[in-house]
Amino acid sequence: RMAGHDLRVNDPVRVSLEIDMLVCVDDGHFRGDVRRGLLEVSSNRRRADGTPGLFHPDNFSFGQTVFLSPLYAAARTVAGVASVQITRFHRQGQEDPKPLADGFMRLGPLEIARLDNDRNFPEHGVLRLELHGGK
């Protein structure tokens, strides 16, 4: 037994993200299908095949830096995506061009990234898609 030791547990601080993507759709694909595919790969839930979406809570840990490259890579896996450009990438409510310019966003030791993209709870992170081309 150890006497005289205090244990303090801190709750995580969820950092909601705001991301805008500009997507060019191939001519042979429907924009609606591409939109659904992009929302699925970047979701916070398990996908139909059982793999976690990009913003699934299991993919992030305390203080983990959020990089842009996985966002680009995930978007490019969707059939019909010709090109992708991320035009906004920052903490929700804090317009800061630095994370977009740097390609990453550093988080504090107790912070965990969050992007639920839920219309009922927009304060839990937002992903906006602007699609051009396609059918």
Side-chain angles (χ1 to χ4, degrees), residues 35-111:
R35 179 181 298 278
R36 273 189 296 281
L38 289 168
L39 291 173
E40 182 181 356
V41 299
S42 59
S43 75
N44 66 339
R45 297 175 298 281
R46 293 240 173 237
R47 296 168 51 189
D49 62 2
T51 60
L54 186 63
F55 287 99
H56 191 278
D58 290 347
N59 291 339
F60 293 95
S61 185
F62 291 96
Q64 181 177 344
T65 300
V66 181
F67 291 94
L68 278 178
S69 54
L71 290 165
Y72 282 109
R76 292 296 305 202
T77 64
V78 176
V81 172
S83 66
V84 178
Q85 180 182 4
I86 296 176
T87 57
R88 181 176 294 174
F89 176 64
H90 57 77
R91 292 170 184 253
Q92 193 171 28
Q94 298 178 7
E95 293 283 336
D96 183 8
K98 188 170 174 20
L100 181 61
D102 292 345
F104 62 89
M105 182 186 313
R106 294 197 195 281
L107 299 180
L110 294 178
E111 294 180 327

Side-chain angles (χ1 to χ4, degrees), residues 11-49:
D11 290 332
V13 177
R14 297 283 187 173
V15 175
S16 298
L17 304 179
E18 192 170 347
I19 300 173
D20 290 1
M21 277 188 185
L22 178 62
V23 180
C24 183
V25 180
D26 280 333
D27 290 336
H29 292 84
F30 291 99
R31 283 188 297 256
D33 294 340
V34 173
R35 179 181 298 278
R36 273 189 296 281
L38 289 168
L39 291 173
E40 182 181 356
V41 299
S42 59
S43 75
N44 66 339
R45 297 175 298 281
R46 293 240 173 237
R47 296 168 51 189
D49 62 2

Side-chain angles (χ1 to χ4, degrees), residues 94-134:
Q94 298 178 7
E95 293 283 336
D96 183 8
K98 188 170 174 20
L100 181 61
D102 292 345
F104 62 89
M105 182 186 313
R106 294 197 195 281
L107 299 180
L110 294 178
E111 294 180 327
I112 298 176
R114 169 187 223 169
L115 197 149
D116 294 353
N117 201 36
D118 186 345
R119 290 182 186 174
N120 294 322
F121 300 99
E123 67 275 8
H124 294 169
V126 177
L127 173 66
R128 292 183 202 89
L129 301 173
E130 184 178 340
L131 284 75
H132 295 279

